[in-house]
Amino acid sequence: MTVRKETRQFQTEVRQVLKLIINSLYSNSDIFLRELISNASDAIDKLRFKAQTEPDLLGEDNEFKIKITRDGIKRTIEIADNGIGMTYDEVNENIGTIARSGTAAFLEAMEALKGKDNLTPELIGQFGVGFYSAFIVADKVTLVTRAAGETTATRWESAGDGTYTVEETDKPGRGTTITLELRPAEKDQPDYTDEWTLRGIIKKHSDFVSYPIVMDVEKQEPIPKDEQILDGDGKPVGETTRTVIKEETLNSMKAIWARDKKTITEDEYKEFYTHISHDWNPPQTHLHFKLEGTTEYTALLYIPSKAPLDLFQPDAKHGVHLYSRRVFIMDDCRELLPEYFSFVKGVVDAPDLNLNISREILQQDRLVLNIRKNLVKKLFELLKGMEPEAYHSFYKEFGPILKIGLYTDTTQQTKLADLVRYKTTKSDDQWVSLREYVDRMQEGQEAIYYLTGDNPAALLNSPHLEQLKAKDYEVLLMTDPVDEWAIQSLKEYDGKPLKSAEKGDLDLAEKDEKKDDDRFADLFAVIRKTLQDDVKEVKRSSRLLDSVACLAGDAMDMSGYMEKIMKATGQDLPKVKRVLELNTSHPVMEKIHGVYKENPEDPRLAEYSHLLYDLAVIGEGGKLDNPSRFGKMIGDMLVTALN
């Protein structure tokens, strides 16, 4: 029989990741064991799940375990499991490539964190490159795996130098064995062939793995009396104990969520969070409850303290694992929580759930829908009950994703609106709730005013806010891109409409000011004709007080910030014409009006029209289409003014 064997090159991205892992993460080397044990546990989970419909896969080997074997002389460590294993093709697909692991984001994150200590361990698990963490400590990695139900095994081997070999081989049973040939121990580096070093790492990172993590250890045990040498008085002569090698389980395997929460310490909650999330930052808070009755399930959910780097990536995983009677069903269970709670980590154990359930069935399963409804309710209660300082820390990390719910889940819009926070023109850089805003609205103020953009300082000093500030009206400063979509759905709060400071008529001008509409009508028509390629209308502004011009939109128009977002994403938008609003009380407008009355055909009017438009663009932080023309006009005006 011909045995397949081949040597392959890693993908370019994999070689980059390997280089970074070997050179940048060596000071955090303990994580390699955590990752390889987690992979072994996942392999057993997958086999148990598959065996629900294919019980013959188990055969006689139904005692699951993960075995650690160490050799101090050869300086090797071996991690073996009797899980689902991999076929030849699966080895090439899953280990030769990491195209689905967020490689680009991983490399960017590593580059950003260069030289910073204690910030990188969570990146390994977060980007799905856990297997490669073996190269943190190993000069050479050998993997031998046999898929459940197959007779042929596969051997994979690499020194992390950019190539690897794959060949068919033999293995007496299913599962995967990974052998690491360790680098020579360096000063201040742990010895990973030492029993107590391994015990400590497993206790810290893998104590809650559902399967026994075992290792052969030396133990002292008494020598049976019938094997001892006794003197004439019947007393033992020589040693009474002997050294034996026994397999010992190193982890507790306790399903912490199944215990009474009164018996669980905060340290135990934190350790379990680290185990399921691969996040070394402690959680901000947790929620542990059991529901009994018609629907029965247990949930242990955590609110992280830091947002993951891939929070907004399309392939980012949800953090809730689904179990039934402590038997793993699936991770990344998107059906249990809506997208705006995707940052929540934890476990849900539903004993009445069918083990053979699929994602398609989950979407329609009444039990799952009921669990989802209750989890959402409990999380709203948890967030609403947080102390202000703690909530502001949470909101700083997860506020943008929470706002997604404002337009994706209108059934919960009122509760979500209570949770969102904004900086305002009066907040001194503090977060303000909509409730607080409404409670301190000015007498006679009928709307909640807001302005969207990407620069808080530019928004705070925007010409659009001049009249609002003069009336002492507070304005919400919305600087998250998601705000543009959220605000289209959130039309009002507590009966107060939300109104953009840059769109529609703010209706703030006094009645006598509105007479200027007729006085300036002919001049506005000339300016509009001159700027017909850029603006759709020219009119008196109800927003401006000190500035001479600004750009605005009709109530249903796309905002300037939305246009900027769409263009940044590569959208091919037609030119968006906006409204040029002019401050008819400004001395400049009186001067231009005087020029018009003296000679409606004066060529300077065209120059002034373009100048007014350019000033409006600059006022909102935009880029001029013809900056050289603007510079020349300003220069000419300075010469005239200084003569």
Side-chain angles (χ1 to χ4, degrees), residues 21 26 28 46 77 137 191 221 266 269 342 400 417-418 439 541:
I21 287 174
Y26 193 64
N28 302 303
K46 290 174 183 176
I77 181 171
V137 297
D191 179 4
E221 68 174 20
E266 283 300 312
Y269 275 124
S342 62
D418 286 333
D439 287 345
S541 178

Side-chain angles (χ1 to χ4, degrees), residues 208 253-264 269 272 288-290 292 297-300 323 325-326 347-349 351:
F208 300 108
M253 297 176 291
K254 294 177 181 176
I256 187 174
W257 64 85
R259 291 165 50 190
D260 185 337
K261 59 184 179 182
K262 294 178 182 177
T263 68
I264 306 172
Y269 275 124
F272 184 69
H288 188 188
F289 67 95
K290 183 174 183 179
E292 296 178 322
Y297 64 92
T298 302
L300 175 53
Y323 283 74
R325 300 183 187 276
R326 306 188 193 183
V347 169
V348 172
D349 193 332

Side-chain angles (χ1 to χ4, degrees), residues 6-31:
E6 53 187 321
T7 299
R8 294 190 172 196
Q9 291 278 340
F10 280 115
Q11 287 184 334
T12 302
E13 294 88 349
V14 179
R15 290 200 295 272
Q16 289 179 276
V17 169
L18 286 175
K19 183 179 178 182
L20 282 169
I21 287 174
I22 293 168
N23 296 325
S24 302
L25 292 180
Y26 193 64
S27 60
N28 302 303
S29 51
D30 288 0
I31 62 170

